[in-house]
mmCIF file of all heavy atoms in Angstrom:
data_model
loop_
_atom_site.group_PDB
_atom_site.id
_atom_site.type_symbol
_atom_site.label_atom_id
_atom_site.label_comp_id
_atom_site.label_asym_id
_atom_site.label_seq_id
_atom_site.Cartn_x
_atom_site.Cartn_y
_atom_site.Cartn_z
ATOM 1 N N MET A 1 128.780 133.954 132.058
ATOM 2 C CA MET A 1 128.112 132.690 131.763
ATOM 3 C C MET A 1 129.138 131.582 131.519
ATOM 4 O O MET A 1 128.964 130.466 131.990
ATOM 5 C CB MET A 1 127.206 132.884 130.536
ATOM 6 C CG MET A 1 126.405 131.672 130.187
ATOM 7 S SD MET A 1 125.198 131.352 131.469
ATOM 8 C CE MET A 1 124.267 130.067 130.729
ATOM 9 N N ILE A 2 130.180 131.900 130.765
ATOM 10 C CA ILE A 2 131.230 130.927 130.492
ATOM 11 C C ILE A 2 131.918 130.522 131.799
ATOM 12 O O ILE A 2 132.216 129.351 132.022
ATOM 13 C CB ILE A 2 132.264 131.489 129.484
ATOM 14 C CG1 ILE A 2 131.615 131.727 128.129
ATOM 15 C CG2 ILE A 2 133.458 130.556 129.363
ATOM 16 C CD1 ILE A 2 131.164 130.477 127.432
ATOM 17 N N GLU A 3 132.160 131.508 132.653
ATOM 18 C CA GLU A 3 132.802 131.212 133.936
ATOM 19 C C GLU A 3 131.945 130.269 134.770
ATOM 20 O O GLU A 3 132.443 129.340 135.400
ATOM 21 C CB GLU A 3 133.059 132.505 134.696
ATOM 22 C CG GLU A 3 133.802 132.298 135.996
ATOM 23 C CD GLU A 3 134.079 133.613 136.703
ATOM 24 O OE1 GLU A 3 134.279 134.629 136.016
ATOM 25 O OE2 GLU A 3 134.088 133.606 137.940
ATOM 26 N N PHE A 4 130.648 130.503 134.757
ATOM 27 C CA PHE A 4 129.721 129.628 135.484
ATOM 28 C C PHE A 4 129.789 128.206 134.951
ATOM 29 O O PHE A 4 129.870 127.247 135.715
ATOM 30 C CB PHE A 4 128.294 130.173 135.356
ATOM 31 C CG PHE A 4 127.262 129.286 135.986
ATOM 32 C CD1 PHE A 4 127.037 129.328 137.348
ATOM 33 C CD2 PHE A 4 126.523 128.404 135.213
ATOM 34 C CE1 PHE A 4 126.086 128.509 137.938
ATOM 35 C CE2 PHE A 4 125.570 127.577 135.787
ATOM 36 C CZ PHE A 4 125.348 127.633 137.157
ATOM 37 N N LEU A 5 129.761 128.050 133.630
ATOM 38 C CA LEU A 5 129.833 126.721 133.030
ATOM 39 C C LEU A 5 131.155 126.024 133.343
ATOM 40 O O LEU A 5 131.184 124.819 133.593
ATOM 41 C CB LEU A 5 129.633 126.811 131.524
ATOM 42 C CG LEU A 5 128.214 127.123 131.053
ATOM 43 C CD1 LEU A 5 128.192 127.301 129.539
ATOM 44 C CD2 LEU A 5 127.272 126.016 131.456
ATOM 45 N N MET A 6 132.239 126.769 133.333
ATOM 46 C CA MET A 6 133.536 126.156 133.614
ATOM 47 C C MET A 6 133.632 125.751 135.078
ATOM 48 O O MET A 6 134.253 124.743 135.411
ATOM 49 C CB MET A 6 134.660 127.108 133.226
ATOM 50 C CG MET A 6 134.689 127.338 131.724
ATOM 51 S SD MET A 6 136.188 128.024 131.066
ATOM 52 C CE MET A 6 137.411 126.888 131.552
ATOM 53 N N THR A 7 132.996 126.513 135.952
ATOM 54 C CA THR A 7 133.054 126.193 137.377
ATOM 55 C C THR A 7 132.149 125.012 137.707
ATOM 56 O O THR A 7 132.519 124.132 138.473
ATOM 57 C CB THR A 7 132.642 127.417 138.211
ATOM 58 O OG1 THR A 7 133.483 128.512 137.863
ATOM 59 C CG2 THR A 7 132.771 127.138 139.693
ATOM 60 N N TYR A 8 130.958 124.999 137.131
ATOM 61 C CA TYR A 8 129.957 123.986 137.479
ATOM 62 C C TYR A 8 129.666 123.030 136.330
ATOM 63 O O TYR A 8 128.558 122.544 136.197
ATOM 64 C CB TYR A 8 128.664 124.678 137.932
ATOM 65 C CG TYR A 8 128.867 125.522 139.167
ATOM 66 C CD1 TYR A 8 128.932 126.906 139.068
ATOM 67 C CD2 TYR A 8 129.015 124.935 140.412
ATOM 68 C CE1 TYR A 8 129.124 127.685 140.200
ATOM 69 C CE2 TYR A 8 129.209 125.687 141.541
ATOM 70 C CZ TYR A 8 129.260 127.073 141.432
ATOM 71 O OH TYR A 8 129.461 127.828 142.547
ATOM 72 N N TRP A 9 130.655 122.737 135.497
ATOM 73 C CA TRP A 9 130.441 121.880 134.323
ATOM 74 C C TRP A 9 129.951 120.507 134.708
ATOM 75 O O TRP A 9 129.179 119.887 133.984
ATOM 76 C CB TRP A 9 131.710 121.770 133.489
ATOM 77 C CG TRP A 9 132.803 121.002 134.193
ATOM 78 C CD1 TRP A 9 133.777 121.515 134.985
ATOM 79 C CD2 TRP A 9 133.006 119.592 134.175
ATOM 80 N NE1 TRP A 9 134.568 120.514 135.473
ATOM 81 C CE2 TRP A 9 134.126 119.314 135.001
ATOM 82 C CE3 TRP A 9 132.355 118.535 133.553
ATOM 83 C CZ2 TRP A 9 134.588 118.026 135.203
ATOM 84 C CZ3 TRP A 9 132.829 117.237 133.759
ATOM 85 C CH2 TRP A 9 133.924 116.996 134.574
ATOM 86 N N PHE A 10 130.353 120.001 135.876
ATOM 87 C CA PHE A 10 129.957 118.656 136.295
ATOM 88 C C PHE A 10 128.472 118.570 136.607
ATOM 89 O O PHE A 10 127.917 117.488 136.700
ATOM 90 C CB PHE A 10 130.785 118.206 137.501
ATOM 91 C CG PHE A 10 130.720 119.147 138.673
ATOM 92 C CD1 PHE A 10 129.724 119.018 139.615
ATOM 93 C CD2 PHE A 10 131.660 120.160 138.815
ATOM 94 C CE1 PHE A 10 129.651 119.889 140.691
ATOM 95 C CE2 PHE A 10 131.585 121.030 139.890
ATOM 96 C CZ PHE A 10 130.589 120.898 140.832
ATOM 97 N N ALA A 11 127.821 119.707 136.772
ATOM 98 C CA ALA A 11 126.371 119.713 136.988
ATOM 99 C C ALA A 11 125.621 120.101 135.713
ATOM 100 O O ALA A 11 124.571 119.535 135.413
ATOM 101 C CB ALA A 11 126.007 120.673 138.112
ATOM 102 N N THR A 12 126.156 121.058 134.963
ATOM 103 C CA THR A 12 125.425 121.574 133.806
ATOM 104 C C THR A 12 125.478 120.641 132.601
ATOM 105 O O THR A 12 124.477 120.451 131.920
ATOM 106 C CB THR A 12 125.953 122.963 133.392
ATOM 107 O OG1 THR A 12 127.358 122.868 133.167
ATOM 108 C CG2 THR A 12 125.681 123.981 134.477
ATOM 109 N N VAL A 13 126.625 120.049 132.346
ATOM 110 C CA VAL A 13 126.767 119.194 131.158
ATOM 111 C C VAL A 13 125.893 117.938 131.257
ATOM 112 O O VAL A 13 125.131 117.645 130.331
ATOM 113 C CB VAL A 13 128.250 118.860 130.884
ATOM 114 C CG1 VAL A 13 128.380 117.806 129.804
ATOM 115 C CG2 VAL A 13 128.999 120.121 130.501
ATOM 116 N N PRO A 14 125.940 117.176 132.362
ATOM 117 C CA PRO A 14 125.063 116.006 132.451
ATOM 118 C C PRO A 14 123.577 116.371 132.397
ATOM 119 O O PRO A 14 122.779 115.648 131.806
ATOM 120 C CB PRO A 14 125.412 115.388 133.806
ATOM 121 C CG PRO A 14 126.784 115.861 134.098
ATOM 122 C CD PRO A 14 126.874 117.228 133.490
ATOM 123 N N THR A 15 123.217 117.508 132.980
ATOM 124 C CA THR A 15 121.818 117.948 132.937
ATOM 125 C C THR A 15 121.403 118.246 131.506
ATOM 126 O O THR A 15 120.319 117.831 131.070
ATOM 127 C CB THR A 15 121.626 119.202 133.814
ATOM 128 O OG1 THR A 15 122.020 118.886 135.147
ATOM 129 C CG2 THR A 15 120.190 119.654 133.799
ATOM 130 N N ALA A 16 122.243 118.925 130.761
ATOM 131 C CA ALA A 16 121.929 119.239 129.370
ATOM 132 C C ALA A 16 121.843 117.968 128.534
ATOM 133 O O ALA A 16 120.926 117.816 127.714
ATOM 134 C CB ALA A 16 122.982 120.184 128.794
ATOM 135 N N LEU A 17 122.778 117.050 128.727
ATOM 136 C CA LEU A 17 122.757 115.803 127.961
ATOM 137 C C LEU A 17 121.513 114.976 128.287
ATOM 138 O O LEU A 17 120.887 114.406 127.389
ATOM 139 C CB LEU A 17 124.021 114.986 128.234
ATOM 140 C CG LEU A 17 125.326 115.567 127.682
ATOM 141 C CD1 LEU A 17 126.506 114.715 128.124
ATOM 142 C CD2 LEU A 17 125.267 115.664 126.170
ATOM 143 N N THR A 18 121.148 114.919 129.550
ATOM 144 C CA THR A 18 119.944 114.193 129.949
ATOM 145 C C THR A 18 118.712 114.815 129.307
ATOM 146 O O THR A 18 117.831 114.101 128.823
ATOM 147 C CB THR A 18 119.800 114.195 131.482
ATOM 148 O OG1 THR A 18 120.962 113.609 132.051
ATOM 149 C CG2 THR A 18 118.583 113.423 131.923
ATOM 150 N N GLY A 19 118.655 116.126 129.280
ATOM 151 C CA GLY A 19 117.532 116.812 128.646
ATOM 152 C C GLY A 19 117.420 116.488 127.167
ATOM 153 O O GLY A 19 116.332 116.232 126.659
ATOM 154 N N VAL A 20 118.543 116.468 126.478
ATOM 155 C CA VAL A 20 118.543 116.156 125.046
ATOM 156 C C VAL A 20 118.068 114.722 124.813
ATOM 157 O O VAL A 20 117.265 114.452 123.915
ATOM 158 C CB VAL A 20 119.943 116.392 124.439
ATOM 159 C CG1 VAL A 20 120.027 115.831 123.036
ATOM 160 C CG2 VAL A 20 120.271 117.871 124.456
ATOM 161 N N VAL A 21 118.559 113.797 125.636
ATOM 162 C CA VAL A 21 118.156 112.390 125.493
ATOM 163 C C VAL A 21 116.662 112.228 125.757
ATOM 164 O O VAL A 21 115.958 111.549 125.002
ATOM 165 C CB VAL A 21 118.984 111.494 126.450
ATOM 166 C CG1 VAL A 21 118.414 110.097 126.526
ATOM 167 C CG2 VAL A 21 120.433 111.448 125.995
ATOM 168 N N LEU A 22 116.165 112.856 126.817
ATOM 169 C CA LEU A 22 114.738 112.746 127.135
ATOM 170 C C LEU A 22 113.865 113.362 126.045
ATOM 171 O O LEU A 22 112.815 112.816 125.705
ATOM 172 C CB LEU A 22 114.446 113.403 128.492
ATOM 173 C CG LEU A 22 114.981 112.650 129.704
ATOM 174 C CD1 LEU A 22 114.736 113.449 130.978
ATOM 175 C CD2 LEU A 22 114.349 111.277 129.815
ATOM 176 N N LEU A 23 114.289 114.485 125.485
ATOM 177 C CA LEU A 23 113.522 115.085 124.398
ATOM 178 C C LEU A 23 113.479 114.165 123.183
ATOM 179 O O LEU A 23 112.456 114.046 122.514
ATOM 180 C CB LEU A 23 114.114 116.442 124.008
ATOM 181 C CG LEU A 23 113.830 117.585 124.982
ATOM 182 C CD1 LEU A 23 114.619 118.823 124.575
ATOM 183 C CD2 LEU A 23 112.350 117.891 125.054
ATOM 184 N N GLY A 24 114.589 113.505 122.894
ATOM 185 C CA GLY A 24 114.617 112.546 121.786
ATOM 186 C C GLY A 24 113.674 111.388 122.025
ATOM 187 O O GLY A 24 112.962 110.950 121.115
ATOM 188 N N MET A 25 113.637 110.881 123.267
ATOM 189 C CA MET A 25 112.747 109.771 123.593
ATOM 190 C C MET A 25 111.285 110.202 123.483
ATOM 191 O O MET A 25 110.444 109.459 122.961
ATOM 192 C CB MET A 25 113.038 109.266 125.005
ATOM 193 C CG MET A 25 114.365 108.542 125.128
ATOM 194 S SD MET A 25 114.804 108.124 126.827
ATOM 195 C CE MET A 25 113.452 107.059 127.271
ATOM 196 N N LEU A 26 110.968 111.409 123.955
ATOM 197 C CA LEU A 26 109.600 111.905 123.859
ATOM 198 C C LEU A 26 109.168 112.068 122.407
ATOM 199 O O LEU A 26 108.024 111.779 122.054
ATOM 200 C CB LEU A 26 109.468 113.241 124.600
ATOM 201 C CG LEU A 26 109.473 113.161 126.114
ATOM 202 C CD1 LEU A 26 109.541 114.559 126.729
ATOM 203 C CD2 LEU A 26 108.230 112.434 126.610
ATOM 204 N N LYS A 27 110.080 112.519 121.556
ATOM 205 C CA LYS A 27 109.761 112.668 120.136
ATOM 206 C C LYS A 27 109.450 111.314 119.510
ATOM 207 O O LYS A 27 108.495 111.175 118.753
ATOM 208 C CB LYS A 27 110.919 113.338 119.402
ATOM 209 C CG LYS A 27 110.621 113.572 117.948
ATOM 210 C CD LYS A 27 111.773 114.241 117.231
ATOM 211 C CE LYS A 27 111.447 114.382 115.763
ATOM 212 N NZ LYS A 27 112.572 114.864 114.990
ATOM 213 N N LYS A 28 110.253 110.287 119.843
ATOM 214 C CA LYS A 28 110.005 108.949 119.309
ATOM 215 C C LYS A 28 108.647 108.426 119.766
ATOM 216 O O LYS A 28 107.902 107.839 118.985
ATOM 217 C CB LYS A 28 111.107 107.982 119.744
ATOM 218 C CG LYS A 28 112.389 108.152 118.996
ATOM 219 C CD LYS A 28 113.413 107.125 119.438
ATOM 220 C CE LYS A 28 114.730 107.324 118.745
ATOM 221 N NZ LYS A 28 115.732 106.338 119.184
ATOM 222 N N MET A 29 108.330 108.628 121.051
ATOM 223 C CA MET A 29 107.050 108.172 121.588
ATOM 224 C C MET A 29 105.891 108.874 120.888
ATOM 225 O O MET A 29 104.885 108.247 120.554
ATOM 226 C CB MET A 29 106.989 108.419 123.098
ATOM 227 C CG MET A 29 107.905 107.522 123.905
ATOM 228 S SD MET A 29 108.037 107.982 125.638
ATOM 229 C CE MET A 29 106.342 107.865 126.164
ATOM 230 N N ARG A 30 106.024 110.186 120.653
ATOM 231 C CA ARG A 30 104.979 110.947 119.971
ATOM 232 C C ARG A 30 104.787 110.461 118.542
ATOM 233 O O ARG A 30 103.656 110.286 118.072
ATOM 234 C CB ARG A 30 105.351 112.435 119.970
ATOM 235 C CG ARG A 30 104.284 113.318 119.350
ATOM 236 C CD ARG A 30 104.796 114.704 119.105
ATOM 237 N NE ARG A 30 105.864 114.634 118.116
ATOM 238 C CZ ARG A 30 106.771 115.566 117.928
ATOM 239 N NH1 ARG A 30 106.788 116.635 118.683
ATOM 240 N NH2 ARG A 30 107.683 115.430 116.987
ATOM 241 N N ASP A 31 105.898 110.196 117.846
ATOM 242 C CA ASP A 31 105.819 109.730 116.465
ATOM 243 C C ASP A 31 105.155 108.353 116.380
ATOM 244 O O ASP A 31 104.343 108.104 115.490
ATOM 245 C CB ASP A 31 107.201 109.686 115.832
ATOM 246 C CG ASP A 31 107.787 111.075 115.618
ATOM 247 O OD1 ASP A 31 107.026 112.069 115.698
ATOM 248 O OD2 ASP A 31 109.004 111.170 115.389
ATOM 249 N N GLU A 32 105.491 107.467 117.327
ATOM 250 C CA GLU A 32 104.881 106.135 117.334
ATOM 251 C C GLU A 32 103.380 106.223 117.607
ATOM 252 O O GLU A 32 102.589 105.536 116.977
ATOM 253 C CB GLU A 32 105.548 105.255 118.392
ATOM 254 C CG GLU A 32 106.926 104.791 118.009
ATOM 255 C CD GLU A 32 107.576 103.967 119.105
ATOM 256 O OE1 GLU A 32 106.860 103.479 119.998
ATOM 257 O OE2 GLU A 32 108.803 103.804 119.061
ATOM 258 N N LYS A 33 103.002 107.080 118.536
ATOM 259 C CA LYS A 33 101.584 107.246 118.862
ATOM 260 C C LYS A 33 100.818 107.777 117.650
ATOM 261 O O LYS A 33 99.731 107.288 117.328
ATOM 262 C CB LYS A 33 101.433 108.203 120.040
ATOM 263 C CG LYS A 33 100.008 108.415 120.483
ATOM 264 C CD LYS A 33 99.936 109.362 121.665
ATOM 265 C CE LYS A 33 98.495 109.630 122.027
ATOM 266 N NZ LYS A 33 98.394 110.627 123.108
ATOM 267 N N THR A 34 101.397 108.752 116.965
ATOM 268 C CA THR A 34 100.757 109.315 115.777
ATOM 269 C C THR A 34 100.612 108.257 114.693
ATOM 270 O O THR A 34 99.563 108.151 114.055
ATOM 271 C CB THR A 34 101.589 110.501 115.250
ATOM 272 O OG1 THR A 34 101.715 111.465 116.285
ATOM 273 C CG2 THR A 34 100.932 111.135 114.046
ATOM 274 N N ARG A 35 101.645 107.443 114.507
ATOM 275 C CA ARG A 35 101.608 106.389 113.491
ATOM 276 C C ARG A 35 100.510 105.372 113.811
ATOM 277 O O ARG A 35 99.746 104.967 112.935
ATOM 278 C CB ARG A 35 102.969 105.704 113.403
ATOM 279 C CG ARG A 35 103.090 104.779 112.217
ATOM 280 C CD ARG A 35 104.466 104.135 112.080
ATOM 281 N NE ARG A 35 105.565 104.959 112.530
ATOM 282 C CZ ARG A 35 106.413 104.612 113.492
ATOM 283 N NH1 ARG A 35 106.278 103.468 114.122
ATOM 284 N NH2 ARG A 35 107.403 105.398 113.836
ATOM 285 N N LYS A 36 100.395 104.970 115.060
ATOM 286 C CA LYS A 36 99.376 103.999 115.459
ATOM 287 C C LYS A 36 97.975 104.564 115.268
ATOM 288 O O LYS A 36 97.071 103.865 114.825
ATOM 289 C CB LYS A 36 99.577 103.592 116.919
ATOM 290 C CG LYS A 36 100.755 102.683 117.130
ATOM 291 C CD LYS A 36 100.913 102.307 118.588
ATOM 292 C CE LYS A 36 102.139 101.458 118.805
ATOM 293 N NZ LYS A 36 102.328 101.142 120.237
ATOM 294 N N GLU A 37 97.785 105.844 115.607
ATOM 295 C CA GLU A 37 96.473 106.467 115.438
ATOM 296 C C GLU A 37 96.081 106.520 113.965
ATOM 297 O O GLU A 37 94.917 106.324 113.623
ATOM 298 C CB GLU A 37 96.473 107.862 116.049
ATOM 299 C CG GLU A 37 96.485 107.847 117.567
ATOM 300 C CD GLU A 37 96.586 109.223 118.181
ATOM 301 O OE1 GLU A 37 96.744 110.205 117.426
ATOM 302 O OE2 GLU A 37 96.522 109.314 119.420
ATOM 303 N N LYS A 38 97.036 106.787 113.088
ATOM 304 C CA LYS A 38 96.739 106.828 111.659
ATOM 305 C C LYS A 38 96.327 105.452 111.152
ATOM 306 O O LYS A 38 95.411 105.324 110.355
ATOM 307 C CB LYS A 38 97.946 107.344 110.876
ATOM 308 C CG LYS A 38 98.158 108.826 111.005
ATOM 309 C CD LYS A 38 99.340 109.279 110.166
ATOM 310 C CE LYS A 38 99.565 110.765 110.306
ATOM 311 N NZ LYS A 38 100.717 111.222 109.525
ATOM 312 N N VAL A 39 97.008 104.412 111.624
ATOM 313 C CA VAL A 39 96.682 103.049 111.206
ATOM 314 C C VAL A 39 95.271 102.686 111.682
ATOM 315 O O VAL A 39 94.475 102.111 110.931
ATOM 316 C CB VAL A 39 97.720 102.045 111.757
ATOM 317 C CG1 VAL A 39 97.254 100.620 111.570
ATOM 318 C CG2 VAL A 39 99.051 102.258 111.047
ATOM 319 N N LEU A 40 94.935 103.029 112.925
ATOM 320 C CA LEU A 40 93.607 102.724 113.461
ATOM 321 C C LEU A 40 92.526 103.488 112.695
ATOM 322 O O LEU A 40 91.470 102.936 112.388
ATOM 323 C CB LEU A 40 93.545 103.069 114.947
ATOM 324 C CG LEU A 40 94.333 102.146 115.867
ATOM 325 C CD1 LEU A 40 94.282 102.669 117.299
ATOM 326 C CD2 LEU A 40 93.798 100.732 115.810
ATOM 327 N N ALA A 41 92.784 104.749 112.371
ATOM 328 C CA ALA A 41 91.804 105.543 111.638
ATOM 329 C C ALA A 41 91.582 104.956 110.244
ATOM 330 O O ALA A 41 90.451 104.920 109.756
ATOM 331 C CB ALA A 41 92.276 106.987 111.531
ATOM 332 N N THR A 42 92.629 104.475 109.614
ATOM 333 C CA THR A 42 92.509 103.871 108.292
ATOM 334 C C THR A 42 91.691 102.590 108.368
ATOM 335 O O THR A 42 90.827 102.343 107.518
ATOM 336 C CB THR A 42 93.907 103.561 107.720
ATOM 337 O OG1 THR A 42 94.668 104.766 107.709
ATOM 338 C CG2 THR A 42 93.818 103.024 106.326
ATOM 339 N N ALA A 43 91.924 101.779 109.406
ATOM 340 C CA ALA A 43 91.186 100.530 109.559
ATOM 341 C C ALA A 43 89.702 100.794 109.790
ATOM 342 O O ALA A 43 88.839 100.116 109.222
ATOM 343 C CB ALA A 43 91.765 99.719 110.711
ATOM 344 N N VAL A 44 89.380 101.772 110.588
ATOM 345 C CA VAL A 44 87.979 102.116 110.856
ATOM 346 C C VAL A 44 87.305 102.622 109.587
ATOM 347 O O VAL A 44 86.170 102.254 109.291
ATOM 348 C CB VAL A 44 87.889 103.173 111.988
ATOM 349 C CG1 VAL A 44 86.484 103.717 112.114
ATOM 350 C CG2 VAL A 44 88.345 102.561 113.308
ATOM 351 N N ALA A 45 88.006 103.423 108.808
ATOM 352 C CA ALA A 45 87.443 103.942 107.565
ATOM 353 C C ALA A 45 87.162 102.818 106.577
ATOM 354 O O ALA A 45 86.130 102.813 105.890
ATOM 355 C CB ALA A 45 88.405 104.961 106.952
ATOM 356 N N ARG A 46 88.047 101.836 106.510
ATOM 357 C CA ARG A 46 87.831 100.702 105.592
ATOM 358 C C ARG A 46 86.616 99.887 106.015
ATOM 359 O O ARG A 46 85.848 99.429 105.178
ATOM 360 C CB ARG A 46 89.070 99.818 105.559
ATOM 361 C CG ARG A 46 90.215 100.428 104.790
ATOM 362 C CD ARG A 46 91.410 99.519 104.749
ATOM 363 N NE ARG A 46 92.525 100.163 104.074
ATOM 364 C CZ ARG A 46 93.753 99.706 104.119
ATOM 365 N NH1 ARG A 46 94.046 98.612 104.774
ATOM 366 N NH2 ARG A 46 94.719 100.357 103.472
ATOM 367 N N ARG A 47 86.459 99.672 107.303
ATOM 368 C CA ARG A 47 85.303 98.910 107.781
ATOM 369 C C ARG A 47 83.998 99.618 107.453
ATOM 370 O O ARG A 47 83.016 98.995 107.089
ATOM 371 C CB ARG A 47 85.406 98.681 109.294
ATOM 372 C CG ARG A 47 86.434 97.660 109.659
ATOM 373 C CD ARG A 47 86.453 97.408 111.149
ATOM 374 N NE ARG A 47 87.558 96.527 111.496
ATOM 375 C CZ ARG A 47 88.044 96.391 112.718
ATOM 376 N NH1 ARG A 47 87.524 97.067 113.706
ATOM 377 N NH2 ARG A 47 89.036 95.560 112.945
ATOM 378 N N LYS A 48 84.003 100.931 107.587
ATOM 379 C CA LYS A 48 82.783 101.698 107.279
ATOM 380 C C LYS A 48 82.446 101.593 105.778
ATOM 381 O O LYS A 48 81.303 101.536 105.397
ATOM 382 C CB LYS A 48 82.957 103.154 107.682
ATOM 383 C CG LYS A 48 82.863 103.360 109.186
ATOM 384 C CD LYS A 48 82.967 104.816 109.547
ATOM 385 C CE LYS A 48 82.880 105.011 111.049
ATOM 386 N NZ LYS A 48 83.001 106.420 111.437
ATOM 387 N N GLN A 49 83.465 101.596 104.943
ATOM 388 C CA GLN A 49 83.241 101.515 103.497
ATOM 389 C C GLN A 49 82.720 100.125 103.123
ATOM 390 O O GLN A 49 81.877 99.994 102.240
ATOM 391 C CB GLN A 49 84.537 101.774 102.732
ATOM 392 C CG GLN A 49 84.959 103.225 102.729
ATOM 393 C CD GLN A 49 86.279 103.442 102.024
ATOM 394 O OE1 GLN A 49 86.963 102.482 101.638
ATOM 395 N NE2 GLN A 49 86.653 104.702 101.847
ATOM 396 N N GLN A 50 83.208 99.083 103.781
ATOM 397 C CA GLN A 50 82.783 97.732 103.456
ATOM 398 C C GLN A 50 81.365 97.440 103.957
ATOM 399 O O GLN A 50 80.622 96.713 103.319
ATOM 400 C CB GLN A 50 83.746 96.707 104.073
ATOM 401 C CG GLN A 50 85.100 96.699 103.411
ATOM 402 C CD GLN A 50 86.080 95.761 104.113
ATOM 403 O OE1 GLN A 50 85.762 95.187 105.139
ATOM 404 N NE2 GLN A 50 87.281 95.635 103.557
ATOM 405 N N GLY A 51 81.024 98.011 105.108
ATOM 406 C CA GLY A 51 79.757 97.688 105.743
ATOM 407 C C GLY A 51 78.640 98.481 105.244
ATOM 408 O O GLY A 51 77.823 98.552 104.479
#
């Protein structure tokens, strides 16, 4: 496995780094979506209580 990585490092390292970056971006997007949904749910609950 080490020999493979040393031979093909120019393909494996950028692929791994790209994967890590994309996973980080997906996590941020998921967290933002969850945060927005919580805010919307809170707003709807307040309207129901007032009305």
